[in-house]
Structures are given as C-alpha cells and as structure tokens.
Amino acid sequence: MTDAPTTPLPAQHPLADGRTAGSALVRALRGDRPETLPVWFMRQAGRSLPEYRDLRVGTAMLDACLDPAMASEITLQPVRRHGVDAGIFFSDIVVPIKLAGVDVEIVPGRGPVLGSPIRSAADVDALGTLEPDALAPITEAVGRTVAELGSTPLIGFAGAPFTLAAYLVEGGPSKDHIRARTLMHADPETWSRLLDWAADVSGAFLRAQVLAGASAAQLFDSWVGSLSRADYLRHVAPHSARALSHVADLGVPRIHFGVGSGEVLREMTTVGGDALAVDAVGVDWRIPLDEAVGRVGTGVTVQGNIDPAMLAAPWDVLESHVRDVVSRGGAARAHVVNLGHGVPPETDPTVLTRVVELVHSLGDGTAAA
C-alpha cells in the first residue's frame, strides 16, 4: 500500500539507494511473494543468546537501549547467528516515554514500573514533550546498525498507544488492565488526550528510526487482547492510526501486531478506517493463518505465527508445526514467517537457526504441505 503525498527518504537510506528494496522481507511486505520466504523472530535480539547475556552484564536494560554501540551490537547478534532476513531494532516500548521525561524503569523479573502512574487529567497535563534531540541515541544506534546490515533490512518498532497507556495508568504490568479500561470509560476525554500523547511519542520514535535507516516499521500492541471490538474501535484505533501516520509519508512498509488480537484482527489492518492502513498484520499463535487471511482479506501480507511454546518441543513436532504454518500462510498474498509472539528467553538458539534453515528450504511456501 502507499500513501500520498510522500516525503523522500534520505538519499543514503537503504530503500532509497537500493540496498534493501529488493530484499525478501520488503518484497513480501509490499505484496510480492519472493522465491524464498522471509523469516525473522520477534525478540530475536535478547535473552536467548549467550552473547547477549555476556554483553549485558552490569548494564541495566534501559541503559543498554540508550547506548548506541550496545543497542546496535545486540540488534546484529541474531542476524549473524541465525541468518534471519531482517534485524529488529533492539529497544523497549517504554524507551520513548522515558525520553519524554516519564519516570520509568524496567525491573528485572517484573517489567516496566512507573514512579507515578497517570490517573487524572492533571497527570496527563503534566506529561512532558519528546524533544528531537532526545532521540539522538536512537538515530545513532540505527545508523550504526544499518551500516553493518548491508542488504539485510532493519525493522523499526514502537509500542502502540493502548499498550503504552496501559503501563502509564497501571503503573506497571497488569493481567487485566482494569485501571486503564476504567479510565477509558470513566473519563473518555482524559483517556483520549493520554492516547494522543502516547501516539505522538511512539510515532516520533518510529519516525526517527525510519529516517535513520529502518526499511520497515512495526507497531506493537501487547495488550490489545484485553479489549472488546467496540472499545478498540471507539477508544483505541484512532490513536493507533495517529501513531502510524507519523511514518505514512515516508512510504516504508508498516506492520501492525497485537497479542490476543483475533477479535480485532481486521480492524487492526484499517485502524478503524475504511481502507487498509498497513501493509502487513502480525498474527499470534491462537488463530491458524488461513483463518486469519479469511478475516483480513488478501490485500494485506500476514506475519507469523509459529507458537513460541513449540520451540521447546521435539524437532519432529516443531518441524511439522512450521510446515503447517507455512502451508496455511499460502492463502495470503505474501507471508513473513515469524513467531506468534516473542522468543522465550530459555529458547535454545540452535533451534531458531534450524527453523530459519527449514523455512528457507520451503521456497515461496506455496508447496509446503
């Protein structure tokens, strides 16, 4: 899909100078079905790799994200090891809100924790602005990474407004996001202003990555599965559209992924509008890909959806599952093979490498059954 008018990418951008324009990933996202299926893994950069754990010793998570050399090296590690068809920028969804002045830290074993949750209109009014200069570590890290990746594309990513708002309101991880959903209904005006703020912060974060060299952009909605379809359409989709609009003029492929998103899968491709707003939709492990295609139509590429739990199964079980995923993905216009969520930290890295080799052996995927 395309948006008009478009803003030219910098001349040295990998899509502009041709380095990644013909890559399997970019072709698939734009609706072509390349001769060899592209494959990458969400959370491929991180805890499953011993080289990552060695590098991170003594460095807090957010400090690692904001160290350009370290973030770049971590992004590159799984590309070198597994031979995947894309790098995914190593960062965290709360990085942009931290850069905007929010007191947030990632507590080992728990996740993002805020010093002062956002619970009122006054709290929203007090939120800071994400200044362009604050994004310098991000653009430097992306630039370093792209210079090393060559013809392998880098995917930029950001957290969707609802997921960011859930953390902001809850003050940390939550199973049901009850405080966030209560604010949504009890004070919809404050909720809307909070999500607009989150959309602009995430959008600026995503745009900085693209302008620095990312060849695709993924909006990641971890907690969308806690919403009804009606609530998604009314209270969330317009803000996700606003976040995605920050890169619409740049013409890079856009991916929208959510966990537990089956009830709103179609709506995530249009973000509440009448036309497709993204090039690809990520599908978690709960829905077979051919069923997902039936829900979203053939105008959008599908990404997914190997069950992360299968990575610890015996190889014959995992191989059969991967072949089934690829076969079902043949119903789509194009398929980017991925997991239905992120790589579990206890995953044996050699299994991921073997999955990449298997996927690449299946050609374009249409004869995988």
Side-chain angles (χ1 to χ4, degrees):
M1 62 162 295
T2 58
D3 295 88
T6 59
T7 298
L9 291 166
Q12 69 276 19
H13 191 282
L15 286 176
D17 66 19
R19 273 176 289 166
T20 61
S23 65
L25 177 87
V26 171
R27 287 175 59 191
L29 292 177
R30 288 182 165 162
D32 190 10
R33 184 171 276 272
E35 297 75 17
T36 302
L37 284 169
V39 54
W40 68 279
F41 305 110
M42 287 181 282
R43 293 184 186 162
Q44 64 188 18
R47 293 173 292 174
S48 67
L49 299 183
E51 55 265 44
Y52 166 83
R53 295 193 293 270
D54 291 344
L55 184 63
R56 272 283 313 281
V57 171
T59 304
M61 175 64 177
L62 291 180
D63 290 338
C65 293
L66 294 172
D67 179 323
M70 185 174 289
S72 176
E73 170 60 21
I74 293 170
T75 302
L76 293 165
Q77 286 175 347
V79 181
R80 297 191 196 108
R81 177 186 273 265
H82 302 311
V84 286
D85 295 289
I88 178 71
F89 183 56
F90 176 76
S91 191
D92 189 89
I93 61 172
V94 300
V95 165
I97 68 172
K98 184 175 182 66
L99 294 178
V102 172
D103 178 12
V104 60
E105 295 298 335
I106 297 178
V107 177
R110 185 178 176 195
V113 176
L114 275 76
S116 300
I118 307 300
R119 301 279 172 79
S120 68
D123 293 335
V124 175
D125 291 339
L127 287 167
T129 301
L130 178 54
E131 300 293 343
D133 290 351
L135 291 163
I138 307 304
T139 57
E140 181 182 343
V142 171
R144 284 172 173 258
T145 306
V146 168
E148 294 289 332
L149 283 174
S151 61
T152 300
L154 177 69
I155 302 168
F157 93 102
F162 174 71
T163 288
L164 287 182
Y167 280 117
L168 288 163
V169 176
E170 301 288 344
S174 167
K175 291 183 178 180
D176 55 14
H177 315 103
I178 194 73
R179 288 191 178 95
R181 292 188 293 115
T182 296
L183 179 63
M184 175 193 302
H185 294 290
D187 191 349
E189 181 180 349
T190 295
W191 174 259
S192 181
R193 290 198 297 117
L194 174 61
L195 264 72
D196 276 347
W197 181 87
D200 289 341
V201 166
S202 265
F205 183 60
L206 204 54
R207 186 177 182 87
Q209 294 170 65
V210 171
L211 287 174
S215 294
Q218 174 164 283
L219 194 68
F220 192 105
D221 213 341
S222 304
W223 307 130
V224 69
S226 67
L227 296 169
S228 69
R229 180 176 180 274
D231 283 347
Y232 180 76
L233 285 171
R234 181 175 181 182
H235 297 289
V236 173
H239 307 285
S240 293
R242 181 170 176 145
L244 288 164
S245 74
H246 281 258
V247 295
D249 64 311
L250 299 177
V252 296
R254 288 170 288 173
I255 311 162
H256 201 182
F257 172 75
V259 182
S261 59
E263 291 303 310
V264 295
L265 201 58
R266 173 63 183 174
E267 288 72 21
M268 289 184 71
T269 69
T270 63
V271 281
D274 296 325
L276 289 172
V278 295
D279 302 270
V281 62
V283 183
D284 79 2
W285 68 93
R286 295 173 175 88
I287 307 173
L289 280 186
D290 50 348
E291 183 176 336
V293 173
R295 297 185 187 191
V296 303
T298 55
V300 65
T301 296
V302 296
Q303 178 178 278
N305 67 342
I306 299 166
D307 187 343
M310 290 285 192
L311 296 175
W315 174 252
D316 61 330
V317 175
L318 174 57
E319 179 181 5
S320 177
H321 175 58
V322 172
R323 288 179 179 274
D324 182 65
V325 166
V326 169
S327 177
R328 293 177 186 276
R333 68 172 191 176
H335 179 199
V336 175
V337 180
N338 207 309
L339 301 180
H341 197 202
V343 175
E346 63 276 9
T347 301
D348 179 351
T350 62
V351 171
L352 295 177
T353 304
R354 200 170 178 186
V355 170
V356 173
E357 292 169 350
L358 171 60
V359 171
H360 285 165
S361 75
L362 298 176
D364 68 1
T366 57

